[in-house]
Amino acid sequence: MIAENSHLSLNPSLKTTTLSSMEPKKAGKISHLETKNTGILQKLIAMGILPGMPVTLLRRSPSYLFEVDQTRYAVDREIANHIYVSY
Amino acid sequence: MKLPLICPEKECCRGKKECMPGKGLPKIVLVGSPNVGKSSLFNALSGSYTVVSNYPGTSVEVSRGKSRIGDLEYEIIDTPGMYSLLPVSEEERVSQRLLFDEKTFVCLHVVDARNLRRMLSFTLQLLEARLPLILVLNMMDEAEERGIEIDIQRLSLSLGIPVVGTVSSEGKGIEELKASIMKYSHEKLTQEKTTPEIDYGPEVEPYISKIEGLLETVEETGISKRSLALLLLQGDRTALDFVYSPGEVYRHKIEKCEAGKNDFEELQNEQFQKLAETASVKAGVPLSYLFTLKRQEPVNEIVEQVMGVQGKEKEAAKETKNEKKKRETKKVFLAENIDSVLTHPLLGIPVLLLVLYFGLYRFVGVFAAGTLVDLLENRLFGEYINPLVTTWFTSLVPYPALQDLFVGEYGIFTQAVTYAIALILPIVGAFFLVFSIIEDTGYLPRLGLLLDGMFKKIGLSGRAVIPMVLGFGCSTMATMVTRTLETKRERLISTILLALAIPCSAQLGIILSVLSGNPNGLIVWAGVIVLEFAFIGYLAARILPGEAPTFILEMPPLRIPRLSNIAVKTYSRMHWYFLEVLPLFVLASVLIWIGRLTGLFALALKAMEYPTVWIGLPSDAADIFLFGFFRRDFGAAGLYGMHDAGLLTGVQLVVAAVTLTLFMPCIAQFMMTIKERGFKMALAISGFIFPSAFLAGFIVNTLLTALGVKL
């Protein structure tokens, strides 16, 4: 968990939540990914959803729509719960 | 989806393995994430055509073409999109396997220039695998629109490989790419190689070396030991297969030992697993996570150096550029607004209904299946061509049996060819035209986002929207595309629903046009089909074991479709469809002819009359269903004929339409289901569909009659 710890300790004022409960239209960074479900984890990292990437939530319904760097993704709640962001 | 190539020299191999246009030539392999323009680059390089779309996951098969670059000929290979060397889905595995197996002259890693940060990690993986590599930054225009600048020379220096910027859809940069391929020499580059190897940290490096030590090279191959070791540590199946399968180029050193092969495999499997587990415990996170994070560090460094977003001062200095940028920002802004309507939870639904109404009902149903078919079938063929051919053939061949085969009621010309050209082709063509437009704008992934919640109820994710919508065109094609779905369970459920409830465009067009004069009947028909779809999907989601699907899909930007791309794509799909349907139509005509000669046809017809009468239809309607065995649309065409002759009442028409829609898949779809899901599963699906279609017809008929509904 090297990445998330160093990130958090550098920015103690930041709020860390899951993507699913992030405030829409706010710019943040992905702090870490939940690593227990390796299937979902592998999908996320393969698609380039990685700690340190800038992230903005655009829409919560009908599905979660968010932007990482220059790309948009749509995910369901289950997956949005696996992505932790700080902003 | 990879449809057959249309090669200029008529070397078209229709996607068959045994025919490879450029066999034996040096190989150029295109790899990269989905939706970065590999297929359009393939077209630009090879001069042949594969279907290019604006949604991820369209290429499910490998395409091969041939190209002359400079004085040399090359084989060009296009692969299904893959995000990394460690595959997550089946089609990624296809690409991975290809990289393992083929000896490539050079790999072109195609990336979307905007997303360099996200995609460069795969470049590093490919370099780690020691694959000969050229990096292609595609979609440079879209990157520029967003004010992104990339220092290509510097990127090339820090990676130690050639880098070329292109806009493949417009053919920009293709000449540079060709020049770079001509100059390419792997040996020279490896000698001068500047990229340092990625260090995965003291926790895992010993394990990587340990596995590397267990492998031995028998001959030169695509992929390096280090890459293979990394994949084995991550438990990759392809890598395991590769190490074990006899005759492969990598062998395990201990394979020479006495132990039986099975024991040996188990032993080694355990050994790899144990190593992976210990390494993972040491690292504290899953190894794939660790490896990716470690790879991202040099990626971030490189991206910081070579990529810049246009600064504000710079814009002010260059007024013309500034204006241009403003205009482009406006374009982006407009796309944003449209996008937010399309994906809006409430506004999205009416938009979808509008698309369905105009695209499917008005254009495919009323215009193509109504007006166009009337013109072609009744006028052109019915009044001019067929009488002419019949008279000519009858005077030429005096044998009634042969006359029957060619120009009889079910004749090869009068039925098979006429139906194929005058009835099916215009409808399917119209559908593919609409589908290509929708597809190229990027609407389909948005539809996936919109419908994911509803699809979850029937055990599918929003990703399944793509094969489902395509199923309205040709269920056979759509069954092939179910391959892009992630779990076996999803693939099975979608195959069942495609076979059962999704009418293909030919069938749909005819049913829409037959029922268009009967709006209430149309509503009853649509209602029953939607209900059956939801009910069976819900049931399947409940009964079938396995995990619930998860939904993750990349949203490409909305794009204005390119006319030439749409034309070529529609043509290519019609071509595929026509080659698929005509032989089956002819076969059906021949089988019916044999059946009529031997009396078997009458027998089968007699047998079909029972369920037909049981659902309240005249016994004459049995042949519609018998035709349905040969092709679903063929059966629908029979319905069209009966309706024309005024043989059915309103209720009967609706019952027939319902039963026919739910009826058996056509031969082609049945064959495709066997190919994708296996023979047993295909048989089980059909065994379920046959009675359930008639049961639904029976229920509808009983209800409508009991309620005294007149349609």
Side-chain angles (χ1 to χ4, degrees):
Chain A
M1 306 277 173
I2 326 129
E4 69 206 72
N5 290 339
S6 60
H7 184 78
L8 289 182
S9 58
L10 278 174
N11 305 283
S13 62
L14 290 180
K15 197 163 77 177
T16 302
T17 61
T18 59
L19 179 72
S20 55
S21 44
M22 186 189 189
E23 225 174 293
K25 306 270 150 78
K26 282 253 168 92
K29 272 199 167 169
I30 297 178
S31 73
H32 64 284
L33 305 173
E34 161 73 57
T35 54
K36 288 214 180 71
N37 183 331
T38 43
I40 292 180
L41 179 71
Q42 251 179 40
K43 244 183 280 176
L44 289 174
I45 59 181
M47 291 179 97
I49 300 169
L50 293 175
M53 291 283 200
V55 62
T56 312
L57 182 68
L58 300 168
R59 207 176 252 302
R60 301 158 156 285
S61 128
S63 303
Y64 293 87
L65 180 69
F66 63 100
E67 198 166 57
V68 173
D69 208 5
Q70 293 284 329
T71 312
R72 287 183 180 185
Y73 301 91
V75 298
D76 57 16
R77 189 179 181 79
E78 167 73 10
I79 290 190
N81 279 335
H82 279 70
I83 305 169
Y84 286 81
V85 294
S86 53
Y87 62 102
Chain B
M1 144 208 30
K2 270 303 113 79
L3 299 175
L5 303 178
I6 298 170
C7 308
E9 303 97 327
K10 297 244 157 90
E11 291 177 329
C12 175
C13 56
R14 302 245 294 128
K16 276 178 201 135
K17 262 194 192 141
E18 55 275 17
C19 164
M20 297 173 182
K23 209 175 173 187
L25 298 172
K27 294 182 171 83
I28 299 175
V29 180
L30 291 125
V31 292
S33 308
N35 208 35
V36 293
K38 284 185 301 298
S39 296
S40 72
L41 200 65
F42 174 86
N43 297 341
L45 282 175
S46 67
S48 53
Y49 184 77
T50 67
V51 172
V52 181
S53 335
N54 187 18
Y55 63 73
T58 29
S59 303
V60 291
E61 273 176 4
V62 173
S63 290
R64 293 166 192 268
K66 210 161 71 171
S67 172
R68 175 175 287 277
I69 299 173
D71 295 329
L72 283 174
E73 290 224 297
Y74 296 90
E75 179 181 6
I76 316 256
I77 303 174
D78 186 18
T79 60
M82 66 190 305
Y83 286 103
S84 81
L85 214 47
L86 182 70
V88 179
S89 68
E90 283 311 303
E91 82 255 29
E92 278 184 283
R93 206 169 283 285
V94 172
S95 307
Q96 186 205 25
R97 188 75 220 186
L98 187 114
L99 286 180
F100 276 44
D101 290 343
E102 304 269 0
K103 229 191 225 166
T104 48
F105 169 68
V106 63
C107 266
L108 306 182
H109 181 209
V110 189
V111 303
D112 165 2
R114 281 178 309 146
N115 284 302
L116 193 60
R117 186 189 293 276
R118 206 158 59 76
M119 296 182 175
L120 210 51
S121 175
F122 188 24
T123 317
L124 296 190
Q125 270 185 306
L126 293 167
L127 285 172
E128 201 171 48
R130 302 238 169 255
L131 287 161
L133 200 64
I134 294 177
L135 180 62
V136 182
L137 303 179
N138 199 14
M139 307 190 190
M140 286 299 276
D141 53 340
E142 285 190 7
E144 270 163 33
E145 258 174 40
R146 282 168 178 75
I148 293 167
E149 282 174 352
I150 296 170
D151 186 341
I152 290 183
Q153 251 172 347
R154 201 156 170 192
L155 182 59
S156 166
L157 272 177
S158 38
L159 291 172
I161 52 165
V163 179
V164 185
T166 58
V167 183
S168 62
S169 55
E170 288 170 18
K172 277 187 198 156
I174 301 298
E175 287 313 310
E176 287 91 322
L177 178 60
K178 284 184 174 170
S180 163
I181 292 170
M182 273 191 278
K183 276 199 312 218
Y184 190 82
S185 156
H186 187 42
E187 286 71 32
K188 198 170 142 236
L189 282 167
T190 16
Q191 276 163 22
E192 298 170 355
K193 200 169 158 56
T194 48
T195 23
E197 237 168 39
I198 301 158
D199 181 2
Y200 292 103
E203 295 92 353
V204 292
E205 279 295 340
Y207 296 95
I208 301 174
S209 325
K210 199 163 184 180
I211 292 189
E212 270 187 81
L214 288 173
L215 303 168
E216 81 174 24
T217 318
V218 177
E219 80 182 70
E220 219 29 63
T221 178
I223 191 159
S224 73
K225 265 192 212 179
R226 189 176 166 83
S227 275
L228 209 52
L230 288 167
L231 288 172
L232 286 169
L233 272 175
Q234 297 170 85
D236 179 48
R237 221 172 61 213
T238 320
L240 270 173
D241 281 357
F242 196 64
V243 175
Y244 288 122
S245 46
E248 286 298 353
V249 280
Y250 271 117
R251 286 229 190 90
H252 208 286
K253 275 182 185 164
I254 323 168
E255 197 170 357
K256 289 154 196 153
C257 79
E258 306 281 297
K261 195 173 171 289
N262 283 342
D263 296 344
F264 162 78
E265 274 193 17
E266 224 162 82
L267 194 80
Q268 295 315 310
N269 242 329
E270 256 171 44
Q271 193 179 342
F272 285 135
Q273 247 171 36
K274 228 179 239 164
L275 281 173
E277 270 165 33
T278 340
S280 182
V281 170
K282 278 237 169 129
V285 289
L287 290 179
S288 51
Y289 192 43
L290 177 84
F291 292 161
T292 315
L293 292 184
K294 286 286 182 188
R295 248 192 325 267
Q296 198 61 31
E297 288 170 14
V299 167
N300 286 340
E301 254 169 59
I302 295 172
V303 169
E304 294 312 321
Q305 284 172 12
V306 304
M307 195 163 145
V309 178
Q310 240 171 52
K312 285 218 166 76
E313 313 88 59
K314 214 171 162 187
E315 278 172 48
K318 295 178 183 172
E319 205 154 307
T320 43
K321 209 166 188 179
N322 194 11
E323 265 170 29
K324 193 179 165 213
K325 187 159 185 283
K326 243 189 195 162
R327 206 175 58 232
E328 273 158 4
T329 325
K330 219 175 180 177
K331 207 167 111 193
V332 173
F333 187 70
L334 182 69
E336 270 308 287
N337 278 332
I338 297 174
D339 205 354
S340 62
V341 171
L342 293 184
T343 54
H344 194 278
L346 295 177
L347 295 177
I349 300 290
V351 172
L352 171 61
L353 292 179
L354 279 178
V355 170
L356 287 179
Y357 179 76
F358 284 105
L360 269 189
Y361 181 72
R362 301 291 318 178
F363 189 67
V364 179
V366 178
F367 171 69
T371 319
L372 216 55
V373 167
D374 186 49
L375 217 67
L376 284 174
E377 206 206 4
N378 295 348
R379 296 280 160 74
L380 190 63
F381 274 83
E383 288 172 19
Y384 299 100
I385 299 180
N386 284 351
L388 225 85
V389 171
T390 311
T391 325
W392 172 76
F393 193 88
T394 321
S395 64
L396 205 70
V397 184
Y399 310 104
L402 277 183
Q403 283 174 6
D404 205 33
L405 176 62
F406 285 94
V407 293
E409 193 188 348
Y410 305 103
I412 290 175
F413 192 84
T414 35
Q415 179 172 278
V417 176
T418 307
Y419 273 6
I421 295 176
L423 192 67
I424 308 302
L425 204 60
I427 299 173
V428 173
F431 176 84
F432 284 146
L433 181 65
V434 173
F435 186 78
S436 301
I437 295 171
I438 289 178
E439 172 181 55
D440 273 19
T441 55
Y443 182 56
L444 288 174
R446 276 140 187 103
L447 202 55
L449 168 126
L450 194 66
L451 298 180
D452 178 60
M454 280 181 236
F455 268 49
K456 285 277 167 62
K457 303 249 190 313
I458 55 170
L460 297 173
S461 80
R463 196 178 265 268
V465 160
I466 293 160
M468 288 302 157
V469 174
L470 188 59
F472 283 106
C474 172
S475 313
T476 310
M477 224 182 241
T479 305
M480 194 164 89
V481 172
T482 56
R483 219 181 281 177
T484 58
L485 301 177
E486 272 156 17
T487 61
K488 225 177 162 177
R489 183 168 178 263
E490 267 188 279
R491 291 195 286 270
L492 181 58
I493 294 177
S494 54
T495 309
I496 293 175
L497 290 176
L498 280 170
L500 177 77
I502 305 275
C504 66
S505 61
Q507 203 181 18
L508 185 69
I510 291 166
I511 287 171
L512 286 180
S513 113
V514 167
L515 290 177
S516 66
N518 189 345
N520 290 333
L522 194 64
I523 291 168
V524 172
W525 169 80
V528 173
I529 300 302
V530 170
L531 262 177
E532 174 102 3
F533 179 85
F535 177 66
I536 296 300
Y538 180 76
L539 223 61
R542 280 297 170 95
I543 292 169
L544 291 172
E547 263 180 66
T550 49
F551 173 59
I552 177 164
L553 194 62
E554 207 180 307
M555 281 294 127
L558 283 177
R559 296 186 174 117
I560 295 171
R562 220 171 270 279
L563 204 65
S564 58
N565 193 30
I566 287 179
V568 160
K569 191 144 75 173
T570 308
Y571 168 76
S572 176
R573 284 187 170 140
M574 280 169 74
H575 183 102
W576 181 89
Y577 185 87
F578 197 69
L579 291 180
E580 190 82 13
V581 36
L582 193 61
L584 286 166
F585 271 33
V586 173
L587 178 74
S589 276
V590 174
L591 286 179
I592 291 169
W593 179 70
I594 294 172
R596 271 156 51 104
L597 278 186
T598 54
L600 277 174
F601 186 68
L603 218 65
L605 212 55
K606 199 87 202 141
M608 276 309 289
E609 274 174 18
Y610 291 102
T612 309
V613 173
W614 186 58
I615 61 171
L617 297 181
S619 56
D620 287 352
D623 66 350
I624 296 178
F625 297 109
L626 205 57
F627 285 149
F629 277 119
F630 296 106
R631 283 205 62 104
R632 280 218 260 193
D633 39 30
F634 214 170
L639 181 66
Y640 189 80
M642 283 196 80
H643 168 69
D644 250 13
L647 292 174
L648 297 171
T649 67
V651 171
Q652 284 174 333
L653 199 61
V654 171
V655 171
V658 164
T659 314
L660 202 64
T661 311
L662 299 175
F663 198 51
M664 294 281 278
C666 66
I667 289 182
Q669 190 183 352
F670 185 68
M671 298 311 264
M672 188 59 82
T673 308
I674 292 177
K675 195 177 149 215
E676 297 289 323
R677 299 288 98 80
F679 186 70
K680 263 193 209 159
M681 201 50 92
L683 214 59
I685 291 175
S686 307
F688 166 72
I689 286 172
F690 183 75
S692 74
F694 279 96
L695 185 65
F698 177 74
I699 293 171
V700 172
N701 182 50
T702 312
L703 276 179
L704 289 179
T705 317
L707 296 173
V709 180
K710 289 260 180 303
L711 290 170

